[in-house]
Amino acid sequence: MSTIAQQFGMTDALHTLGVKAINDGTSTGKNHFASGEILESFSPVDGQLIAAVKTTTVSDYEKVMQTATEAFKSFKMMPAPQRGEIVRQFGEKLRKNKDALGKLVSYEMGKSLQEGYGEVQEMIDICDFAVGLSRQLHGLTMHSERPGHRMYEQYHPLGIVGIISAFNFPVAVWAWNTALAWICGDVCVWKPSEKTPLCGIACQNIIAEVIKENNLPEGISCLINGDYKVGELLSADKRVPLISATGSTRMGKIVAQTVAGRLGKSLLELGGNNAIIVTPDADIKMTVIGAVFGAVGTAGQRCTSTRRLIIHESIYDKVKDAVTSAYKQLRIGNPLDQNNHVGPLIDKHAVEMYNKALSKVVAEGGKILVEGGVLSGEGYESGCYVKPAIAEAQNSFEIVQHETFAPVLYLLKYSGDVHNSIEIQNGVAQGLSSAIMTNNLREAEAFLSVAGSDCGIANVNIGTSGAEIGGAFGGEKETGGGRESGSDAWKIYMRRQTNTINYTTSLPLAQGIKFDL
């Protein structure tokens, strides 16, 4: 274990979470079985090997699916409030393990320790939400046109829910899905990112304790590890009625086609190209806070990270100076040290994409306002630390039209009224998160209207990044259209059934049709 890891108690954290030098990468609630190749996890914080997992083979995968299928038979019969009690216990385990799991998230993924703790808190929050929801899985009662008939609808569990998650939120997005799927009566098979496999092992170990303590079938929670080939097994499997996939738009299109080809359902949370509109009536101080955190938080590796700042020409220079000045105060370094604002990118490939984006914006005619670059020397040995950069650009630039998963912020200028800025905001293929900074009620309402933002998330006087679990999370267009977490997102994890009951001695037909025998 490296000096940094020892300094911040990673050895104890890994021991608490049951993460060893080599872990089985295929597991269910109690038993572990894997026979694939070794997948090593290196920390972007210091470049050191943390631990390794065995990957899932086709044979291993089949064992997992058989175990999950068998578990569903009994789990679906458990009353929803009792399933909610299981989720409540899981939430309590997370509270006890928040420090250890938060540290692992920070060390394996590279986000700040505060963000690591925040991610575990999201898991706790969704558990609390799901517990209450377990007593509210409601249907509707409708009036029938036929006398002596009653109509209603109800929701039943789907079966096995397949979850494919990304490295940037290695534990929270899984919890968003599983907490709701479990109270709905589904069982889950999770493929975490191959870049953060140890976070998956840790979470599986925590829920395994709850499963064992309640003498429940082990297949309620299953884990498979490996690269995209393992994800392909899950996406193509007819035994999995729902695939929830988080990642790039490119990946999502492949998953969507595969799942649609077998007439399954997919819940997609894909790329974002998020913008903040800054109008002449904006509070500049609030704007700077929202824009800077949105652009550099998690080193720009959130799907809701702020990529574009669309500023009215009358205040453009003022906002530009304020934001570029704020960047001078950023501290880049070990994310486990809470004095630092920005940690590393996930790996060298992400660094390469960052460098290409900066070269591309200049080649297209943009101007660099805050220089980027890769940091080296003491504390930056992993080669994954980069400087958050700012560039002036046009929305029509090809590089601006695409999502770069790194801390690169583009400043765009608009003239005229708020509708012109909304047109720029909507002028990209992605539609996840959006925001407007204004104290003008008419501008705010225009932004939120049917002619306003075309994103799944639209905020007023807060940034694009960060979401509470009470609201449904997701986006439109090439973001995939999925919704997770709060509101009525639970419905996608269940199948809807319409029921009609005739409590008379006659059999009238709908629409007045006569069929006498």
Side-chain angles (χ1 to χ4, degrees):
M1 190 64 66
S2 70
T3 302
I4 288 177
Q6 291 176 342
Q7 179 182 355
F8 291 93
M10 284 307 307
T11 301
D12 291 339
L14 294 173
H15 177 74
T16 298
L17 298 169
V19 177
K20 305 173 184 178
I22 295 182
N23 287 265
D24 254 321
T26 300
S27 61
T28 58
K30 295 178 182 177
N31 297 326
H32 297 257
F33 33 77
S35 56
E37 298 177 349
I38 297 297
L39 173 63
E40 295 179 324
S41 178
F42 291 88
S43 171
V45 175
D46 53 16
Q48 297 297 307
L49 175 66
I50 311 172
V53 302
K54 293 180 181 178
T55 55
T56 302
T57 65
V58 174
S59 176
D60 298 332
Y61 174 81
E62 188 57 34
K63 292 177 183 178
V64 167
M65 292 306 298
Q66 291 173 3
T67 306
T69 299
E70 191 63 30
F72 177 63
K73 293 177 182 179
S74 58
F75 192 57
K76 69 179 180 180
M77 302 305 295
M78 180 183 292
Q82 291 184 23
R83 297 193 295 257
E85 169 59 17
I86 301 305
V87 174
R88 186 196 68 78
Q89 293 178 31
F90 178 52
E92 289 302 308
K93 295 280 188 184
L94 290 173
R95 285 180 169 87
K96 294 177 182 178
N97 288 280
K98 182 176 178 178
D99 182 73
L101 187 54
K103 285 181 178 177
L104 177 58
V105 168
S106 179
Y107 190 54
E108 187 177 33
M109 184 268 149
K111 63 176 57 178
S112 75
L113 185 57
Q114 281 299 314
E115 290 182 87
Y117 289 149
E119 186 168 346
V120 181
Q121 187 60 49
E122 277 194 71
M123 302 175 76
I124 295 167
D125 292 345
I126 195 64
C127 285
D128 289 348
F129 179 88
V131 171
L133 188 62
S134 68
R135 295 180 181 270
Q136 301 177 65
L137 300 178
H138 55 270
L140 296 172
T141 299
M142 290 79 71
H143 288 280
S144 173
E145 67 183 56
R146 291 166 285 185
H149 286 60
R150 180 168 67 88
M151 292 179 63
Y152 72 97
E153 64 179 23
Q154 60 181 331
Y155 289 83
H156 295 301
L158 276 178
I160 299 174
V161 172
I163 302 164
I164 301 172
S165 63
F167 73 85
N168 60 330
F169 279 85
V171 296
V173 172
W174 168 74
W176 286 2
N177 283 275
T178 51
L180 297 189
W182 285 335
I183 61 103
C184 289
D186 301 319
V187 299
C188 298
V189 177
W190 177 27
K191 183 211 165 299
S193 169
E194 60 269 33
K195 298 181 180 182
T196 52
L198 305 182
C199 286
I201 294 288
C203 290
Q204 181 68 3
N205 288 342
I206 294 171
I207 186 59
E209 291 181 7
V210 177
I211 290 173
K212 182 177 181 180
E213 290 166 1
N214 288 271
N215 196 30
L216 292 171
E218 60 192 65
I220 292 171
S221 180
C222 301
L223 184 76
I224 54 178
N225 259 307
D227 61 14
Y228 71 94
K229 294 179 182 178
V230 177
E232 287 177 345
L233 292 175
L234 200 58
S235 298
D237 198 327
K238 293 182 178 180
R239 293 169 293 185
V240 185
L242 172 65
I243 294 290
S244 174
T246 304
S248 68
T249 296
R250 182 194 62 80
M251 179 276 291
K253 288 180 178 180
I254 296 171
V255 171
Q257 291 175 22
T258 301
V259 176
R262 60 179 176 83
L263 296 182
K265 296 199 298 182
S266 58
L267 192 171
L268 302 174
E269 299 289 356
L270 310 176
N273 196 348
N274 317 295
I276 298 176
I277 295 171
V278 188
T279 80
D281 287 311
D283 182 313
I284 303 300
K285 183 178 180 180
M286 289 175 60
T287 297
V288 170
I289 295 172
V292 174
F293 175 74
V296 309
T298 322
Q301 296 173 115
R302 292 186 176 212
C303 50
T304 55
S305 290
T306 305
R307 311 290 178 197
R308 298 173 294 146
L309 204 57
I310 305 169
I311 311 165
H312 192 269
E313 60 182 359
S314 65
I315 57 168
Y316 182 83
D317 289 337
K318 184 177 182 180
V319 174
K320 178 180 71 173
D321 291 345
V323 174
T324 54
S325 177
Y327 266 51
K328 297 175 183 177
Q329 303 173 48
L330 294 176
R331 294 185 294 274
I332 308 166
N334 173 16
L336 292 165
D337 182 346
Q338 298 187 56
N339 291 315
N340 292 322
H341 297 108
V342 184
L345 292 177
I346 185 65
D347 56 22
K348 298 287 183 63
H349 176 70
V351 174
E352 182 182 350
M353 294 300 101
Y354 159 86
N355 284 328
K356 286 183 176 180
L358 292 179
S359 297
K360 180 71 171 174
V361 72
V362 172
E364 292 193 65
K367 178 183 178 182
I368 301 295
L369 298 176
V370 175
E371 292 287 342
V374 182
L375 296 170
S376 60
E378 186 178 355
Y380 305 123
E381 290 85 357
S382 70
C384 296
Y385 291 87
V386 301
K387 299 176 184 178
I390 301 177
E392 290 183 308
Q394 299 293 326
N395 205 55
S396 58
F397 287 2
E398 183 182 4
I399 189 61
V400 177
Q401 288 288 310
H402 292 84
E403 177 188 46
T404 299
F405 228 51
V408 179
L409 177 65
Y410 302 114
L411 302 192
L412 314 174
K413 186 186 295 184
Y414 82 95
S415 58
D417 64 16
V418 71
H419 297 286
N420 293 338
S421 67
I422 293 172
E423 185 177 354
I424 296 172
Q425 138 70 37
N426 293 344
V428 293
Q430 309 84 0
L432 179 53
S433 186
S434 58
I436 188 170
M437 293 293 185
T438 182
N439 288 321
N440 184 309
L441 177 63
R442 289 175 177 168
E443 290 179 335
E445 289 297 331
F447 179 72
L448 299 175
S449 73
V450 67
S453 170
D454 63 2
C455 295
I457 299 170
N459 299 327
V460 176
N461 290 331
I462 62 172
T464 62
S465 188
E468 299 179 32
I469 59 90
F473 180 90
E476 301 301 321
K477 302 191 293 187
E478 289 195 356
T479 300
R483 292 298 184 274
E484 294 174 323
S485 191
S487 186
D488 65 348
W490 61 271
K491 291 182 178 179
I492 197 169
Y493 303 95
M494 306 195 81
R495 58 181 178 88
R496 185 192 303 233
Q497 184 181 80
T498 300
N499 308 114
T500 304
I501 300 172
N502 177 3
Y503 55 90
T504 72
T505 57
S506 60
L507 188 60
L509 301 177
Q511 294 83 47
I513 295 173
K514 299 295 183 181
F515 188 78
D516 296 325
L517 293 175

